[in-house]
Amino acid sequence: MSPADTRERLLDAAQRLFVQTGVSATSLRSITTEADANLASVNYYFGSKEAMVQAVFSRWLEPLNKERLKWLDRVEEEAGDGPLEVEAVLGAFLGPTFHMMRDERARDFPCLFGRLHAESDELTAAIFEQFHDVQVRFIQAFLRALPHLNLPELAWRMHFLIGAMAYTFGAADILKFISKGQCTLSDLEGALKRLIAFSAAGLKTPVPDQGDTTQ
């Protein structure tokens, strides 16, 4: 078996166990047992558990974020000096995630990502740092497409957008339950179109009157 196969087995095993029990609660020994490898292999390929955790996330986030930026480049190139379409920017942000989910090994990645909220601040900050370039570019794009929004209001709406995307993948059983089995994530293309339409409506809506929030 090649070194690359062993490394991938370790990453696959770590991902499965991180989803089940969380990063902090998963020991290196449990990972190597799951991967049918030895502890020395972890040090050889990653150097530490922290580096392995970064690698588990990076193998999905790096290509995902590169694809997002590539799609956004096309959207901005086609728009030229004109306005950006909200739906097109959403497509660039959401589309690569849906395409990634065609890979069976990526199916539990949203659950894995959700686990970050229960982990240390240092780990969460390190993983979120991988989104820096994507965050900067998409904030600029959304502000250009939605000139009625300021940055704080856009931040709220992007927060809701990311939550909707994560929930779509992380709670597929609830969709099946609500629809009495008529709707599932087997139709990824249809789900993407619906999420873009839903999110565009929310992003475009007028800014609500803040009023007196102390009541």
Side-chain angles (χ1 to χ4, degrees):
M1 185 169 294
S2 71
D5 289 336
T6 302
R7 186 177 188 278
E8 286 301 301
R9 282 207 331 276
L10 286 166
L11 291 175
D12 287 342
Q15 179 172 309
R16 286 193 298 272
L17 293 174
F18 291 164
V19 168
Q20 293 170 16
T21 61
V23 174
S24 299
T26 301
S27 68
L28 287 180
R29 187 169 297 280
S30 64
I31 293 171
T32 54
T33 299
E34 177 80 6
D36 192 22
N38 54 52
L39 285 172
S41 63
V42 174
N43 291 325
Y44 178 79
Y45 292 110
F46 306 104
S48 66
K49 180 181 176 182
E50 290 73 20
M52 172 185 264
V53 173
Q54 289 276 18
V56 168
F57 282 89
S58 295
R59 70 169 174 166
W60 300 118
L61 290 180
E62 285 184 5
L64 172 63
N65 287 332
K66 285 181 182 177
E67 198 68 12
R68 281 172 166 162
L69 293 176
K70 188 186 300 182
W71 285 33
L72 184 57
D73 284 341
R74 287 199 296 266
V75 169
E76 292 177 334
E77 183 179 346
E78 290 172 4
D81 295 329
L84 290 178
E85 293 291 332
V86 175
E87 289 82 358
V89 179
L90 281 168
F93 184 74
L94 297 170
T97 305
F98 278 76
H99 286 194
M100 181 184 76
M101 296 305 289
R102 293 192 176 108
D103 185 335
E104 283 193 15
R105 294 185 305 162
R107 296 287 170 82
D108 58 3
F109 183 73
C111 297
L112 172 65
F113 201 77
R115 280 283 189 177
L116 275 180
H117 301 292
E119 303 298 336
S120 69
D121 291 340
E122 293 80 7
L123 173 61
T124 301
I127 300 301
F128 281 172
E129 183 61 29
Q130 297 186 43
F131 289 97
H132 178 266
D133 292 345
V134 166
Q135 173 186 315
V136 170
R137 286 285 307 280
F138 275 90
I139 284 176
Q140 294 172 344
F142 278 122
L143 287 174
R144 179 179 164 188
L146 300 158
H148 68 294
L149 299 183
N150 58 25
L151 179 56
E153 186 64 28
L154 175 63
W156 274 110
R157 297 184 188 202
M158 288 188 69
H159 179 66
F160 299 145
L161 165 65
I162 293 167
M165 178 179 63
Y167 190 78
T168 296
F169 292 115
D173 288 345
I174 295 179
L175 170 65
K176 188 175 180 180
F177 174 77
I178 293 173
S179 67
K180 299 186 184 301
Q182 297 180 71
C183 304
T184 70
L185 280 184
S186 60
D187 179 16
L188 284 171
E189 201 62 38
L192 173 60
K193 290 178 180 178
R194 289 176 174 85
L195 183 55
I196 288 175
F198 178 85
S199 301
L203 286 168
K204 291 177 181 178
T205 194
V207 177
D209 182 7
Q210 300 301 304
D212 184 358
T213 59
T214 63
Q215 297 297 319

